[in-house]
Amino acid sequence: MVNLCMHISLPIPHKPAHHSYTTFHGRATTMLYTRRSSSTRCNGMPSAQTTTVAVPTRRSANYKPSFWDFNYIQSLTTQYTEERHSKRVLELIARVKMLLLHQEMEGDRRLDLIDDLQRLAISHHFEQEINKILNSIYHENCYDAKDRDLYTTSLEFRLLREHGFLVSQDVFDCFKNEKGDFKASLCDDRRGVLELYEASFLLTHGEETLELANEFATKHLQRIVEEGGDDHNLLERVRYALDLPIHWRIQRPNARWFIEAYGRRSEMNPTILELAKLEFNITQSMHQQELKLISRWWKQTRLCEKLPFARDRIVECYLWTLVGGLSQPQYGYSRIMATKANILITLLDDIFDVYATLEELHLFNDVIHRWDLEAVNQLPNYMQICFLTLNNFINEMACDVLKEQDILIIKYLRKSWQDLCKSFMQEAQWHAEGHTPTLDKYINNGWISSSVPVILSHTFFLITNPIQKTAVESLYQYQDLVRCPAVILRLANDLATSPNEMERGDVAESIQCYMKESGASVEEAREHARFLIWKSWKRMNEERVGNFQFPKEFIKKAVDLGRMAQYMYQLGDGHGIQNPHIKDRISSLFFESIV
């Protein structure tokens, strides 16, 4: 069992010279100033001399301190670590299993139950039972158009596709008219239209029926919101779906909202509700303990002190790992190590994007590329401590994997960071030259600078057992399973952060690249970015069921990372600026239990 309390031990470096952090438009440059000094003439009288000294004038993004400081995190307490709560969970799980396996439960009610369990984030307790039910439905259902309603057909289609069953879009043909359009009479079935909308997001390239379904359902759901009505629960679900569909959402953050919505339903099952609340609170207590460990590591590295220009975002970095697919209890060590990786990614991003001069970046990128420990002496102090922390982290993780699986992964981990820094360097070079690349060139570099390849490579080694060399080689070919969530993250990030980053003079992003290349307006460019996200999701849906090179668990994590991107940037920049929306989301997820 890997010790979660491992810490990186670093020598304390000499205190760096004081820098002035100045906000201006443009990357860090060098400013000259004269310093007067005295010397002694041959007659013994002092004389004034001037020396020209180069001092870098550096930028600052004016990042605010973390909402949650070290003392706050260390002070967290909860009752849900007590054994009595764990025993109660086991009792409730047994009752829900009996409910799932009840032979007299009608088919559509069983589908509703599975959907509820998934959206309440407790379905992992019932994987065998759920797979058995869906497998039976898939093999016994001939999809006869007779007596099929829109709601049941759509829900069944979505659940089966979510679990990897190859269900044809043709199941919706019975709801079309002679012209091939969806029948107008379907609009009377509001629940059915909502479920059709949710099902349409599992489409792949070339599935025109599902494209039509999405257009049809979106149009009528928007009309439902405009018209209002007495069914407030349905209206709430419609608004929530239009904000982001289920297939693009992460289970655990979605669970908090759904637990509250489920509790207001007239057909709510008290046993299921109690289990969902208790599970949420127990899991929250586990995450609080892990945050304490991570915050102690962060304090011990002294990176926040030595790199004061960088973002202090350990809670947000932990959120990326938790929501990005590592939410289940058995991934405790994986969450801690992946969070450390995310913290280091954030530091590197701020070095390349904000603080360092171009000359320093060339030196740093060269040291990373050659992984030359001797050359670290050439770097400024703040880069030295960052590099050594990164090197220690890689060695620690590689040592842990070596002990567990007898495979040495140092060269693979280093390659991930080398590729990331190379992409950061390209963006810094474009910025220094005042160059706006074409959209294709920007994305071809930007999906790597999104950091998704680094995150997924570490995730692969943290959760895969046994590690197959052929799978590792495929991983570093950066196939669509890696590219698709990376493109989604890059574009979602740009949509949320572009105005702020352009204001402070950062490198042109996808919006600006497309505007310059095509002459499009800002809104047209933003709409094009949304279209590219839509395309990437279609390709990722194919990877979910058609990729056999990687374990299913890793594929799920890759898909979840695409979901996490849209969650983090749905309401603005949730990582850098720390907008109020993400503060509320994090507080409800990590710090506020459900009553």
Side-chain angles (χ1 to χ4, degrees), residues 206-426:
E207 291 192 310
E208 294 182 3
T209 295
L210 293 176
E211 293 272 10
L212 287 171
N214 184 267
E215 294 174 11
F216 171 84
T218 301
K219 175 182 175 182
H220 290 288
L221 291 180
Q222 289 171 341
R223 184 177 298 172
I224 288 172
V225 171
E226 292 170 2
E227 294 175 352
D230 297 330
D231 193 340
H232 299 295
N233 287 336
L234 178 63
L235 279 174
E236 184 182 18
R237 290 185 65 176
V238 169
R239 292 192 186 99
Y240 200 67
L242 288 174
D243 283 341
L244 211 61
I246 291 173
H247 185 56
W248 290 8
R249 286 185 181 272
I250 296 288
Q251 260 194 8
R252 180 150 174 82
N254 184 62
R256 176 95 195 207
W257 174 88
F258 193 72
I259 287 171
E260 295 171 357
Y262 181 79
R264 292 190 293 269
R265 280 167 36 178
S266 58
E267 72 278 16
M268 172 270 294
N269 183 302
T271 300
I272 292 175
L273 182 62
E274 183 185 354
L275 174 60
K277 287 183 176 182
L278 199 51
E279 174 83 2
F280 184 94
N281 291 337
I282 290 174
T283 303
Q284 186 182 77
S285 69
M286 176 183 65
H287 296 324
Q288 289 177 2
Q289 297 307 308
E290 291 170 2
L291 276 171
K292 289 182 180 181
L293 289 173
I294 293 164
S295 66
R296 289 199 288 270
W297 168 82
W298 174 238
K299 188 176 181 68
Q300 191 178 47
T301 65
R302 299 181 65 190
L303 287 167
C304 190
E305 171 192 340
K306 296 299 181 180
L307 282 70
F309 58 86
R311 287 165 286 184
D312 179 2
R313 298 293 183 265
I314 65 168
V315 177
E316 288 80 2
C317 288
Y318 182 73
L319 176 66
W320 277 99
T321 63
L322 167 66
V323 181
L326 296 174
S327 61
Q328 294 182 20
Q330 69 267 29
Y331 293 127
Y333 168 76
S334 302
R335 280 191 295 274
I336 290 173
M337 296 302 288
T339 300
K340 292 179 181 181
N342 287 342
I343 290 170
L344 293 170
I345 289 168
T346 302
L347 294 179
L348 287 173
D349 188 28
D350 290 338
I351 287 174
F352 276 88
D353 201 35
V354 174
Y355 186 73
T357 67
L358 194 64
E359 293 77 14
E360 289 171 347
L361 290 179
H362 279 298
L363 284 173
F364 189 64
N365 190 52
D366 183 60
V367 170
I368 291 284
H369 179 71
R370 294 186 290 116
W371 218 270
D372 186 352
L373 295 178
E374 295 297 325
V376 174
N377 289 326
Q378 302 171 18
L379 300 175
N381 182 272
Y382 76 94
M383 284 183 167
Q384 289 176 345
I385 191 170
C386 183
F387 176 84
L388 290 174
T389 305
L390 174 61
N391 187 62
N392 287 357
F393 165 74
I394 288 173
N395 290 340
E396 177 189 354
M397 180 170 162
C399 184
D400 291 341
V401 172
L402 182 62
K403 287 184 288 187
E404 293 290 327
Q405 300 205 46
D406 295 324
I407 181 172
L408 189 61
I409 63 170
I410 285 181
K411 70 174 183 178
Y412 299 113
L413 296 179
R414 286 179 176 177
K415 175 173 170 51
S416 299
W417 294 97
Q418 289 164 341
D419 290 347
L420 178 67
C421 289
K422 182 180 178 181
S423 68
F424 282 166
M425 190 71 235
Q426 177 64 80

Side-chain angles (χ1 to χ4, degrees), residues 39 74 83 106 117 138 145 148 189 249 292 297 384 407 415 448 462 530 586:
S39 62
Q74 294 301 317
E83 187 179 355
E106 296 177 6
L117 295 176
Y138 178 72
R148 294 190 64 82
D189 181 4
R249 286 185 181 272
K292 289 182 180 181
W297 168 82
Q384 289 176 345
I407 181 172
K415 175 173 170 51
I448 300 176
L462 287 167
R530 295 185 191 102
I586 288 176

Side-chain angles (χ1 to χ4, degrees), residues 80-297:
Y80 291 100
T81 56
E82 298 173 11
E83 187 179 355
R84 61 189 175 94
H85 296 298
S86 300
K87 288 182 177 180
R88 180 60 177 164
V89 164
L90 294 177
E91 294 172 5
L92 295 170
I93 288 172
R95 292 186 190 180
V96 176
K97 281 187 178 181
M98 290 177 61
L99 188 62
L100 263 174
L101 298 176
H102 198 282
Q103 297 297 323
E104 295 180 4
M105 180 179 284
E106 296 177 6
D108 56 340
R109 286 184 58 204
R110 191 170 290 179
L111 290 172
D112 282 330
L113 177 56
I114 292 172
D115 188 37
D116 288 340
L117 295 176
Q118 290 186 171
R119 299 180 71 176
L120 292 166
I122 54 177
S123 60
H124 58 281
H125 292 301
F126 314 102
E127 286 184 357
Q128 290 184 352
E129 291 79 11
I130 290 173
N131 286 332
K132 182 178 179 180
I133 292 169
L134 293 178
N135 193 62
S136 175
I137 290 172
Y138 178 72
H139 287 100
E140 294 175 9
N141 201 329
C142 63
Y143 295 107
D144 189 351
K146 295 180 180 179
D147 301 324
R148 294 190 64 82
D149 65 276
L150 182 62
Y151 175 82
T152 304
T153 302
S154 301
L155 178 57
E156 190 173 280
F157 176 88
R158 175 168 66 82
L159 291 176
L160 287 171
R161 279 214 173 180
E162 283 175 354
H163 287 261
F165 293 95
L166 300 176
V167 187
S168 172
Q169 65 171 344
D170 295 346
V171 298
F172 295 106
D173 285 347
C174 60
F175 303 106
K176 294 180 181 179
N177 58 26
E178 297 78 9
K179 295 181 180 180
D181 299 321
F182 280 88
K183 299 174 183 177
S185 59
L186 295 173
C187 299
D188 296 332
D189 181 4
R190 293 186 167 193
R191 289 177 70 243
V193 172
L194 175 57
E195 198 50 56
L196 177 65
Y197 169 85
E198 297 287 12
S200 70
F201 283 90
L202 284 102
L203 83 171
T204 59
H205 284 288
E207 291 192 310
E208 294 182 3
T209 295
L210 293 176
E211 293 272 10
L212 287 171
N214 184 267
E215 294 174 11
F216 171 84
T218 301
K219 175 182 175 182
H220 290 288
L221 291 180
Q222 289 171 341
R223 184 177 298 172
I224 288 172
V225 171
E226 292 170 2
E227 294 175 352
D230 297 330
D231 193 340
H232 299 295
N233 287 336
L234 178 63
L235 279 174
E236 184 182 18
R237 290 185 65 176
V238 169
R239 292 192 186 99
Y240 200 67
L242 288 174
D243 283 341
L244 211 61
I246 291 173
H247 185 56
W248 290 8
R249 286 185 181 272
I250 296 288
Q251 260 194 8
R252 180 150 174 82
N254 184 62
R256 176 95 195 207
W257 174 88
F258 193 72
I259 287 171
E260 295 171 357
Y262 181 79
R264 292 190 293 269
R265 280 167 36 178
S266 58
E267 72 278 16
M268 172 270 294
N269 183 302
T271 300
I272 292 175
L273 182 62
E274 183 185 354
L275 174 60
K277 287 183 176 182
L278 199 51
E279 174 83 2
F280 184 94
N281 291 337
I282 290 174
T283 303
Q284 186 182 77
S285 69
M286 176 183 65
H287 296 324
Q288 289 177 2
Q289 297 307 308
E290 291 170 2
L291 276 171
K292 289 182 180 181
L293 289 173
I294 293 164
S295 66
R296 289 199 288 270
W297 168 82

